[in-house]
């Protein structure tokens, strides 16, 4: 039987297509063309003239020769030319948010292509495209809200062919992917290193077999097995690799079909394609699952940490959805990511300094009875830690009403955890709307080591219904190192 997605030939008992990777049982047709009204009248069979048979035979031979030249000879001819083919990204388009169709998501976007793997450098999201158009989709926050999306072809350097990548990670310098070595005439799978501006393949490295996901934690890569079928006999492994893609540790993976992996600064977020389940993994010591949640997705196909949130790609519905922040915090019991992807360094060997870090949340709700950290930037200079921030305080939390004994106030605390285990706290009063502070000296930084800066928002107020309410919000956390 043919693959329902790409029409490649499959065995009668096949559960997955080796060409496009689709799970046959999960595939569903995207677009249907309705039959013409009234149907088509039946016709009597007619005898085909001999000259037509000969003509069809000649035409078929010409077609086969043309196809052989186009797909086999032509790429080699083009590869020998001095001037490569020009490949242009698609036209940008704006994606507007929609209400997420299910819990635990709060924001969703319809994607212009079918997603497969995702990563972020802190300012954009790059999502692999499962099929035509080959390549990737870049999503960048738009000034008017939402995302600007653009389809970008990914080109392999041998024959200058458009290709696809099944997973992405950002290592602080380049995007890194996982692809089949067949694109390069190799056997097995390979890690692909991409130009950060064009996404063109710069080089490749051999990869362990059956990988379906990839993430970078600032010092090493994490990758995991994606079996062809849920019950196939291959071991399900979670790999840790150094910056040169050498395996330095393996452990048992929590499931057998990893098709999404993201690092939020503290935890790995592992997505299993067979059960559409997310596993939150602590990698401090031996990797262990701290939370497991089955999602009501059609086809989980990617996870990415972006601007303080965890986003999940769904191939079944071509959606990118954000896990509601309060739900994410409940699953991990921790504040926002400690290190945003934009400042994760590519320097694992000597733990190079991180003199500056920044976090922005372009998707904050800005509700009138809530508080959110919109921006936080911290830096090490002149022997001290300095911080700048912007916080949203809804006007409703400043409205004074009769409360009996409840003290009413709006404050926030900025804490710096020092390398010696102590901390320094600074407390400030909030103001309605966008509350901004710039270049505030927070703590001395004379010692070598890590400095963690985090914000905690606290308000006590009385609601319009006369009920006393206490609001606590853990804001952004960033890490500096000297």
């Amino acid at each position: 039987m043919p693959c329902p997605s790409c029409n490649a030939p499959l065995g009668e008992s096949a559960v997955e297509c080796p060409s496009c990777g689709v799970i046959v049982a999960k595939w569903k047709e995207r677009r249907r063309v309705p039959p013409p009204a009234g149907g088509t009248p039946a016709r009597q069979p007619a005898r085909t003239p001999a000259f037509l048979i000969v003509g069809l035979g000649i035409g078929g031979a010409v077609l086969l020769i043309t196809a052989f030249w186009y797909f086999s000879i032509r790429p080699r001819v083009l590869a020998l030319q001095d001037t490569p083919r020009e490949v242009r990204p698609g036209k940008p388009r704006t994606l507007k948010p929609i209400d997420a169709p299910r819990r635990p998501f709060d924001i969703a976007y319809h994607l212009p292509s079918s997603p497969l793997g995702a990563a972020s450098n802190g300012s954009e999201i790059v999502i692999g495209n499962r099929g035509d158009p080959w390549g990737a989709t870049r999503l960048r926050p738009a000034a008017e809200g939402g995302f600007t999306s653009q389809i970008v072809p990914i080109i392999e350097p041998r024959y200058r062919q458009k290709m696809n990548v099944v997973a992405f990670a950002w290592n602080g310098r380049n995007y890194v992917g996982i692809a089949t070595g067949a694109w390069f005439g190799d056997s097995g799978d390979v890690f692909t290193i991409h130009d950060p501006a064009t996404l063109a393949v710069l080089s490749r490295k051999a990869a362990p077999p059956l990988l379906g996901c990839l993430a970078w934690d600032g010092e090493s890569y994490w990758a995991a097995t994606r079996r062809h079928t849920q019950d196939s006999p291959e071991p399900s492994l979670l790999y840790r690799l150094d910056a040169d893609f050498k395996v330095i540790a393996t452990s048992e993976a929590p499931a057998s079909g990893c098709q999404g992996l993201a690092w939020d600064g503290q935890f790995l977020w592992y997505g299993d394609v067979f059960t559409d389940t997310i596993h939150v993994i602590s990698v401090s010591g031996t990797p262990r699952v701290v939370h497991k949640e089955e999602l009501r997705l059609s086809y989980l196909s990617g996870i990415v940490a972006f601007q303080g949130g965890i986003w999940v790609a769904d191939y079944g519905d071509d959606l990118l959805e954000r896990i509601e922040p309060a739900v994410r915090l409940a699953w991990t019991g921790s504040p926002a990511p400690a290190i945003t992807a934009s400042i994760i360094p590519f320097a694992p060997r000597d733990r190079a300094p991180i003199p500056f870090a920044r976090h922005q949340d372009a998707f904050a709700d800005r509700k009138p009875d809530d508080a959110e950290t919109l921006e936080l930037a911290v830096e090490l200079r002149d022997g001290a830690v300095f911080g700048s921030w912007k916080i949203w305080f809804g006007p409703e939390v400043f409205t004074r009403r009769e409360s009996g004994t409840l003290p009413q106030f709006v404050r926030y605390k900025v804490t710096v955890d020092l390398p010696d285990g102590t901390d320094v706290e600074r407390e400030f009063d909030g103001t309605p709307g966008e509350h901004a502070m710039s270049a505030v000296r927070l703590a001395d930084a004379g010692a070598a080591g890590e400095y963690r800066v985090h914000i905690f928002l606290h308000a006590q107020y009385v609601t319009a219904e006369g009920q006393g309410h206490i609001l606590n919000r853990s804001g952004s956390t960033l890490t500096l190192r000297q």
Side-chain angles (χ1 to χ4, degrees):
M1 65 176 181
C3 171
S5 176
C6 70
N7 290 322
L10 300 178
E12 290 299 326
S13 60
V15 295
E16 181 184 54
C17 175
S19 297
C20 67
V22 73
I23 300 173
V24 175
K26 285 195 171 191
W27 185 89
K28 61 182 180 181
E29 189 173 357
R30 308 298 177 137
R31 304 174 180 86
R32 298 183 184 274
V33 179
T40 303
R43 295 181 178 177
Q44 297 298 322
R47 184 174 298 173
T48 304
F51 72 86
L52 183 58
I53 294 175
V54 174
L56 288 174
I58 296 174
V62 172
L63 183 61
L64 288 173
I65 294 172
T66 302
F68 178 77
W69 176 87
Y70 187 87
F71 291 105
S72 182
I73 305 301
R74 180 172 173 267
R76 291 165 173 77
V77 173
L78 291 172
L80 296 175
Q81 295 177 356
D82 293 332
T83 304
R85 288 177 290 173
E86 183 179 14
V87 180
R88 298 178 180 176
K91 292 183 178 180
R93 54 181 290 191
T94 300
L95 305 183
K96 295 296 184 181
I98 61 173
D99 291 333
R102 56 213 160 195
R103 300 281 292 171
F105 305 105
D106 63 343
I107 302 174
Y109 290 86
H110 275 297
L111 296 172
S113 57
S114 296
L116 181 62
S120 172
N121 66 359
S123 61
E124 67 173 0
I125 297 175
V126 170
I127 301 176
N129 296 343
R130 181 180 287 276
D132 190 30
W134 296 108
T137 299
R138 304 186 97 137
L139 301 179
R140 290 168 175 162
E144 65 276 13
F147 284 108
T148 298
S149 73
Q150 188 176 34
I151 303 293
V152 179
I154 296 178
I155 306 303
E156 56 83 20
R158 185 178 183 185
Y159 297 133
R160 304 289 296 168
Q161 301 175 99
K162 296 179 183 178
M163 59 174 287
N164 74 326
V165 176
V166 303
F168 276 108
W170 170 258
N171 67 15
R173 181 184 300 168
N174 300 94
Y175 286 104
V176 179
I178 300 172
T180 174
W183 289 110
F184 312 95
D186 298 339
S187 59
D189 295 332
V190 295
F191 294 112
T192 51
I193 294 85
H194 299 259
D195 182 283
T198 66
L199 298 184
V201 178
L202 302 176
S203 60
R204 64 189 188 275
K205 297 276 189 177
L210 296 178
L211 295 186
C213 55
L214 187 66
W216 170 259
D217 69 1
E219 295 185 348
S220 53
Y221 294 100
W222 294 88
T225 302
R226 199 281 203 194
R227 292 178 184 170
H228 291 309
T229 63
Q230 187 173 8
D231 56 357
S232 59
E234 301 87 6
S236 296
L237 298 175
L238 178 66
Y239 294 89
R240 189 174 187 180
L241 306 99
D242 66 15
D244 295 321
F245 303 100
K246 295 179 181 178
V247 176
I248 55 178
T250 60
S251 57
E252 184 178 356
S256 59
C258 187
Q259 200 159 298
L261 194 65
W263 172 252
D264 72 357
Q266 186 173 359
F267 298 100
L268 283 174
W269 293 72
Y270 171 113
D272 177 55
V273 67
F274 295 118
T275 61
D276 297 317
T277 299
I278 279 185
H279 303 257
V280 183
I281 303 173
S282 171
V283 295
S284 178
T286 301
R288 60 184 179 88
V289 175
V290 298
H291 185 82
K292 175 182 176 182
E293 192 78 21
E294 186 173 347
L295 307 177
R296 292 176 293 175
L297 300 177
S298 297
Y299 198 126
L300 188 151
S301 59
I303 302 176
V304 58
F306 178 66
Q307 293 196 345
I310 298 295
W311 298 73
V312 180
D314 182 355
Y315 164 69
D317 296 322
D318 288 350
L319 286 177
L320 180 67
E321 301 169 272
R322 186 182 73 170
I323 296 176
E324 187 176 354
V327 173
R328 177 182 59 78
L329 294 179
W331 290 358
T332 62
S334 66
I339 304 178
T340 57
S342 58
I343 52 85
I344 290 178
F346 188 87
R349 293 180 178 82
D350 56 3
R351 295 181 64 83
I354 306 176
F356 175 80
R358 185 178 184 181
H359 166 78
Q360 292 178 292
D361 186 358
F363 299 93
D365 293 332
R366 304 187 187 219
K367 295 178 181 178
D369 59 350
D370 205 351
E372 299 279 353
T373 304
L374 305 179
E375 297 181 18
L376 172 63
V378 292
E379 63 178 324
L380 286 167
R381 60 179 172 86
D382 302 328
V385 177
F386 289 84
S388 301
W389 53 82
K390 184 185 294 183
I391 303 171
W392 166 260
F393 288 108
E396 184 67 15
V397 302
F398 292 88
T399 302
R400 293 292 178 260
R401 300 184 176 95
E402 291 297 327
S403 64
T405 59
L406 179 71
Q408 299 181 54
F409 59 83
V410 181
R411 300 173 187 155
Y412 63 98
K413 181 169 60 178
V414 182
T415 304
V416 182
D417 295 330
L418 304 176
D420 62 3
T422 62
D423 60 62
V424 176
E425 295 182 352
R426 297 283 306 276
E427 191 170 73
F428 304 87
D429 291 324
T431 57
E434 289 192 358
H435 170 93
M437 299 282 282
S438 180
V440 179
R441 193 179 192 279
L442 298 174
D444 292 334
E450 289 189 345
Y451 294 80
R452 290 170 56 90
V453 183
H454 49 97
I455 291 182
F456 182 79
L457 315 179
H458 181 45
Q460 294 184 181
Y461 66 99
V462 178
T463 67
E465 293 77 23
Q467 298 295 319
H469 187 75
I470 297 176
L471 183 153
N472 292 318
R473 288 284 185 273
S474 292
S476 303
T477 300
L478 295 174
T479 299
L480 302 171
R481 185 186 303 125
Q482 73 170 359

